[in-house]
Amino acid sequence: MPHPFPTPDGPIPDWNLGSVVSALRKSREVTHNVRHKGRVRELPSREALGQIVQGLSAALFPTHYGRPDLTDESIDYFVGYTLHDTLTVLAEQVRRGLLFVADDEAPDDGDAAQTSSQAQNQANTLAHQAGEITREFASQLPEIRALLVSDLQAAFQGDPAATSVSEILLSYPGMTAIISYRIAHALYKLGSPLLARLIADIAHGVTGIDIHPGAQIGPAFFIDHGTGVVIGETTVIGQGVRLYQAVTLGAKRFPTDENGALLKGHARHPIVEDDVVIYAGATVLGRITIGKGSSIGGNVWLTHSVPPGSNVTQAQNRGA
């Protein structure tokens, strides 16, 4: 067979593809098989989820993420059209996420293959559930937008370099990450954890900010600069909290069961109360509480709770 990409000069390289393809098949099917129960699964699409976040952002802030030429007469039509298309795609991705969970929870019996009737019943059930989740998610969009506006206001009030809310929406990676988080968190709570994690990972790749969708974050949240921020799954953040770059709200240790397996969902991340500021490079670990109105200095390593109004610096930590 002729080479599909002939080189402009010199002989066509011999990649020995036949043996490579054969070895890869053996790895996939036999030696290093990671397929769930030996079959290919219908998984959510990262590309579709990226489009969903873009569409939802455009519906939430039409002139910033949608079309700048919208008028009072056209804006509602644009939002309705965008939401219809976006929610239709979202429902399909939610269905795929539900199928992923259903496959994981199904018994792995070698002779318990589904009949066509059972498969169709499952498909109908999952499609209905996906529709209900998507409908409930859509009903929460006004509340999500209200939270995002509070985050915008916190950014504008907290950053002297910010000249307008438009600048924040269009150029602040912290705002981009928070929009994705608010969307992902709503889906996470509604029973679509895989989709939520994928949306969070897409935002992480774009912004360098890693927020687990299971984290609970109150209104008026601001991440300044943002690169390297990590917020763990069971973190609880109150109202009016501000973080700077490279802050970690992480776990100090990972509890295991009697067999040494990690316990999932265990509360292991910090509680950050209202109006706390955590400066660049600080690492806060474990299920500790940072009291209301506290300030945690740059590069502080903190593994114990502090009362409201605390001012923690490196020097204080070294002397403790």
Side-chain angles (χ1 to χ4, degrees), residues 252-295:
K252 183 179 179 182
R253 58 177 61 89
F254 305 100
T256 59
D257 63 18
E258 62 276 7
N259 298 317
L262 290 177
L263 293 174
K264 304 290 185 178
H266 181 77
R268 60 197 182 278
H269 299 103
I271 298 171
V272 181
E273 294 185 343
D274 296 351
D275 303 317
V276 168
V277 179
I278 305 180
Y279 287 95
T283 300
V284 183
L285 302 181
R287 194 58 164 185
I288 63 175
T289 299
I290 309 302
K292 179 178 179 178
S294 294
S295 175

Side-chain angles (χ1 to χ4, degrees), residues 206-270:
V206 172
T207 66
I209 298 168
D210 185 3
I211 308 177
H212 193 288
Q216 301 176 49
I217 302 178
F221 180 54
F222 177 37
I223 303 175
D224 202 355
H225 306 294
T227 304
V229 165
V230 177
I231 301 175
E233 176 189 15
T234 62
T235 303
V236 179
I237 296 177
Q239 178 173 332
V241 171
R242 188 192 320 167
L243 307 181
Y244 287 82
Q245 67 271 21
V247 165
T248 296
L249 303 178
K252 183 179 179 182
R253 58 177 61 89
F254 305 100
T256 59
D257 63 18
E258 62 276 7
N259 298 317
L262 290 177
L263 293 174
K264 304 290 185 178
H266 181 77
R268 60 197 182 278
H269 299 103

Side-chain angles (χ1 to χ4, degrees), residues 91-310:
E92 167 59 15
Q93 297 305 307
V94 171
R95 183 194 67 80
R96 293 186 180 200
L98 293 174
L99 180 60
F100 177 90
V101 174
D103 280 350
D104 269 356
E105 294 177 349
D108 189 10
D109 298 328
D111 58 351
Q114 285 184 321
T115 66
S116 59
S117 176
Q118 289 172 326
Q120 186 59 53
N121 287 339
Q122 182 193 52
N124 292 339
T125 298
L126 293 180
H128 176 74
Q129 290 176 355
E132 290 300 307
I133 288 173
T134 304
R135 187 176 296 106
E136 176 59 28
F137 172 80
S139 75
Q140 295 181 15
L141 287 174
E143 179 184 350
I144 291 172
R145 189 177 190 279
L147 285 169
L148 290 171
V149 169
S150 77
D151 300 328
L152 264 175
Q153 292 170 340
F156 185 70
Q157 294 166 4
D159 184 5
T163 61
S164 67
V165 294
S166 292
E167 179 186 10
I168 294 165
L169 280 169
L170 296 174
S171 67
Y172 276 45
M175 196 66 215
T176 300
I178 292 169
I179 289 172
S180 289
Y181 159 76
R182 299 285 187 203
I183 292 169
H185 182 66
L187 289 169
Y188 186 90
K189 288 169 58 180
L190 287 170
S192 294
L194 178 60
L195 263 63
R197 286 303 305 270
L198 289 170
I199 289 171
D201 188 58
I202 292 168
H204 182 199
V206 172
T207 66
I209 298 168
D210 185 3
I211 308 177
H212 193 288
Q216 301 176 49
I217 302 178
F221 180 54
F222 177 37
I223 303 175
D224 202 355
H225 306 294
T227 304
V229 165
V230 177
I231 301 175
E233 176 189 15
T234 62
T235 303
V236 179
I237 296 177
Q239 178 173 332
V241 171
R242 188 192 320 167
L243 307 181
Y244 287 82
Q245 67 271 21
V247 165
T248 296
L249 303 178
K252 183 179 179 182
R253 58 177 61 89
F254 305 100
T256 59
D257 63 18
E258 62 276 7
N259 298 317
L262 290 177
L263 293 174
K264 304 290 185 178
H266 181 77
R268 60 197 182 278
H269 299 103
I271 298 171
V272 181
E273 294 185 343
D274 296 351
D275 303 317
V276 168
V277 179
I278 305 180
Y279 287 95
T283 300
V284 183
L285 302 181
R287 194 58 164 185
I288 63 175
T289 299
I290 309 302
K292 179 178 179 178
S294 294
S295 175
I296 309 302
N299 297 315
V300 163
W301 179 278
L302 189 62
T303 58
H304 62 271
S305 296
V306 297
S310 297

